[in-house]
Amino acid sequence: MGGAFEAGGMSESAVAAAVGYDELATLKLVALDGGRSGPVKLSCSGVANRLDVSNQTASRRLQRLEEADFIDREVVADGQWITITDAGESALRQEYADYRRIFETPSVVVLDGEVTGGMGEGRHYISLPGYMEQFKDRLGYEPFPGTLNVRLGDDAVRARAGMTALDAVPIDGWEDDERTFGPATCYAASVAVGGDSYEPVHIIVPERTHHDESQLEIIAPDKLRDELDLDDGDAVTVRVEEAEYE
């Protein structure tokens, strides 16, 4: 969690909101040409023809994607080399999750990972009254002041996109006399290791975070490392389910 809840620059969701459907369609075209795995060579005229728009419009869409840090570009004499960034891939994963929500009805997302050490900031932020009161009211418990950090494998990172199709518990942002603290989303889950399992827990996803998609932060009423006898490097399975919240 840590600095994730502090006021700061433009959040990932705010950046995504600044890029419209037309730009996302252009981003998808780059991805279909292989831009996720490395640079692909494209021309504005080629992009324009495939999207049925003018060269100027195609150029403008690519520029907006670059300004939003969704792509990296290197312009050469006969076109440009384009690579989709981590932020661009995250935006595509969100689109994918939205379509899954339309056409599928997932009830559980299973994520495998391993316990890893955090930066020790979760204890402070979870204990702040502006968050703690919401946790008690909306999650039904007072969290242990700290998070269990889990690093996901590649398959689990891809599966994580399905979480956004599940109902979750919103945690509102708030402010005190000195600073603003950002909102977050809590996903209901359980944590299992070997034959032992613990629930309820919640995966907490701040709107502003320094973590990438491979990191989970989990809160629970108790210290999960003690309850499940966990050490760094231990393999765990996190089952994410629909949250009950009105």
Side-chain angles (χ1 to χ4, degrees):
M1 191 193 300
F5 283 115
E6 299 177 24
M10 197 178 224
S11 69
E12 181 177 307
S13 60
V15 170
V19 173
Y21 291 113
D22 290 339
E23 286 74 28
L24 288 175
T26 306
L27 186 65
K28 183 176 73 172
L29 184 151
V30 176
L32 288 170
D33 279 2
R36 276 187 60 229
S37 57
V40 292
K41 193 174 186 181
L42 297 170
S43 66
C44 281
S45 60
V47 172
N49 288 335
R50 293 166 67 183
L51 295 175
D52 194 24
V53 297
S54 68
N55 288 358
Q56 292 82 358
T57 296
S59 177
R60 187 163 54 248
R61 291 182 187 178
L62 289 170
Q63 182 178 355
R64 287 173 180 167
L65 288 170
E66 185 178 30
E67 290 172 349
D69 195 32
F70 282 10
I71 62 171
D72 288 328
R73 289 196 298 168
E74 180 185 356
V75 178
V76 293
D78 57 346
Q80 49 197 304
W81 291 96
I82 302 177
T83 306
I84 294 176
T85 64
D86 289 343
E89 181 169 342
S90 179
L92 288 172
R93 288 189 185 279
Q94 181 62 58
E95 287 293 293
Y96 172 65
D98 288 346
Y99 279 108
R100 286 190 64 188
R101 189 167 187 174
I102 292 171
F103 295 108
E104 302 175 14
T105 54
S107 58
V108 177
V109 175
V110 179
L111 305 173
D112 292 320
E114 64 177 36
V115 177
T116 185
M119 293 185 292
E121 296 175 322
R123 176 184 299 273
H124 169 67
Y125 285 93
I126 287 174
S127 300
L128 291 174
Y131 292 126
M132 184 59 74
E133 291 303 315
Q134 293 186 71
F135 292 147
K136 290 189 289 187
D137 179 54
R138 301 181 183 186
L139 305 184
Y141 61 83
E142 180 175 324
F144 170 81
T147 61
L148 179 71
N149 295 275
V150 175
R151 180 186 297 113
L152 302 177
D154 291 342
D155 290 343
V157 170
R158 288 188 286 270
R160 177 178 177 157
M163 282 173 46
T164 59
L166 300 175
D167 290 335
V169 180
I171 301 297
D172 299 330
W174 56 284
E175 61 184 55
D176 60 18
D177 293 336
E178 299 179 354
R179 61 204 294 189
T180 298
F181 298 88
T185 303
C186 289
Y187 294 90
S190 63
V191 177
V193 54
D196 297 325
S197 179
Y198 185 103
E199 62 180 318
V201 308
H202 286 82
I203 299 169
I204 186 162
V205 182
E207 182 179 275
R208 295 189 293 268
T209 179
H210 49 255
H211 290 312
D212 61 24
E213 296 294 306
S214 70
Q215 297 289 325
L216 293 182
E217 290 184 289
I218 300 173
I219 60 175
D222 302 302
K223 186 177 181 179
L224 292 174
R225 283 180 178 267
D226 291 345
E227 293 295 317
L228 295 172
D229 193 25
L230 295 172
D231 292 313
D232 286 356
D234 285 349
V236 296
T237 297
V238 182
R239 292 176 57 87
V240 194
E241 303 179 348
E242 298 276 4
E244 295 183 3
Y245 174 75
E246 297 182 359

